[in-house]
Amino acid sequence: MTTGVAGSFPTGLGYTPPHPVPLGFVFRSRAKDEKAQSASAPVTDSTQTRDPQAPKGRPTPKRSVAQSQRRSVSNTPLTRKDAAKRQREERRTAMARQREALAKGDERYLPARDKGPVRRFARDFVDSRFNIAEYFLPMAVIILVLSMVRVASLQNVALLLWLVVIVLIVLDSIVTGVRLKKRLAERFPGERLRGAVAYALMRSLQMRRLRLPKPQVKRGERP
């Protein structure tokens, strides 16, 4: 029997592996392995510009896909602040269009009260005539100045002028309303004419150069 060193296994009784595994490999931490792999990986510069001739790395989307993406972005729900801002911009644009339409008579962007062939004819009818009511403001200023003078005769004249102006405006408005109503019935049979005469009479109270929409016919021109 072969003897061995005291305290050790006898030779031939145990199994000795041909390549013993070091204990450090078994118990090495995973963190050290990850650090070693990251250190060995090549470092790339994210700020490096791409060669224009190099491929993009992804296919170019089709036109239909791009349009659908743009529509999805435009249909994204807005916040309350963004929605209010968009409404203000749309309102500002609409008001600018209305002002331009009132100056040029463009039917597309006129306010609802001024739209339609009936309202246009009523405006042209009033603008083609001399109306006493359109001179009411200048005459009112003259009468007011006369009434402020501390002279009894001038104050009596001012009071008389007030009565004459009011009577003339009422008579002229009655004649204008009757003629306009007759012309509207002839020009637009069967159409709704409600409010057209009152609309024309309110326009006749304004001075010609201050009327909106701007007059499109000359005085004496038949509409």
Side-chain angles (χ1 to χ4, degrees):
M1 179 179 294
T2 305
T3 62
V5 182
S8 61
F9 290 99
T11 303
L13 294 179
Y15 171 74
T16 302
H19 301 285
V21 180
L23 296 178
F25 177 79
V26 177
F27 296 100
R28 187 165 60 177
S29 61
R30 182 180 300 174
K32 293 181 179 180
D33 294 339
E34 293 177 353
K35 290 181 179 179
Q37 293 177 2
S38 61
S40 61
V43 179
T44 58
D45 187 4
S46 60
T47 61
Q48 184 179 2
T49 58
R50 186 179 62 85
D51 186 1
Q53 300 298 331
K56 293 185 294 184
R58 56 183 177 84
T60 303
K62 296 181 179 180
R63 180 178 297 179
S64 59
V65 177
Q67 291 178 354
S68 63
Q69 291 176 355
R70 287 196 296 268
R71 284 195 296 267
S72 63
V73 172
S74 61
N75 294 331
T76 303
L78 302 176
T79 61
R80 182 178 300 178
K81 184 178 180 180
D82 294 338
K85 183 179 179 180
R86 176 174 294 184
Q87 289 179 357
R88 287 194 299 269
E89 292 177 354
E90 292 177 353
R91 191 181 304 113
R92 191 180 299 111
T93 304
M95 292 297 295
R97 287 180 177 177
Q98 283 189 4
R99 286 193 297 269
E100 185 177 359
L102 289 173
K104 297 181 179 180
D106 192 350
E107 288 281 346
R108 295 176 298 173
Y109 303 112
L110 287 177
R113 66 182 181 85
D114 298 315
K115 284 185 177 181
V118 175
R119 296 300 174 95
R120 182 180 179 86
F121 182 84
R123 292 195 303 268
D124 294 343
F125 184 85
V126 172
D127 296 336
S128 63
R129 302 177 67 254
F130 285 93
N131 302 282
I132 299 176
E134 66 180 291
Y135 301 105
F136 174 76
L137 288 179
M139 289 186 295
V141 173
I142 295 173
I143 294 172
L144 182 61
V145 172
L146 292 177
S147 64
M148 293 176 63
V149 179
R150 297 295 181 178
V151 178
S153 58
L154 292 179
Q155 291 181 348
N156 292 332
V157 171
L159 179 60
L160 181 62
L161 286 177
W162 270 119
L163 295 176
V164 172
V165 168
I166 291 175
V167 171
L168 289 177
I169 290 176
V170 170
L171 292 177
D172 184 65
S173 299
I174 293 174
V175 173
T176 302
V178 171
R179 291 181 177 178
L180 177 59
K181 188 175 182 180
K182 182 179 179 181
R183 292 289 304 278
L184 287 174
E186 294 174 355
R187 180 68 66 87
F188 305 98
E191 294 191 19
R192 184 179 180 181
L193 306 176
R194 182 178 180 181
V197 176
Y199 172 78
L201 294 179
M202 291 297 297
R203 186 176 177 85
S204 67
L205 293 173
Q206 302 172 357
M207 299 182 66
R208 181 181 176 86
R209 65 179 60 185
L210 300 179
R211 293 172 183 173
L212 291 176
K214 294 292 184 180
Q216 303 296 319
V217 297
K218 298 180 180 180
R219 291 187 187 275
E221 184 178 353
R222 187 180 179 87

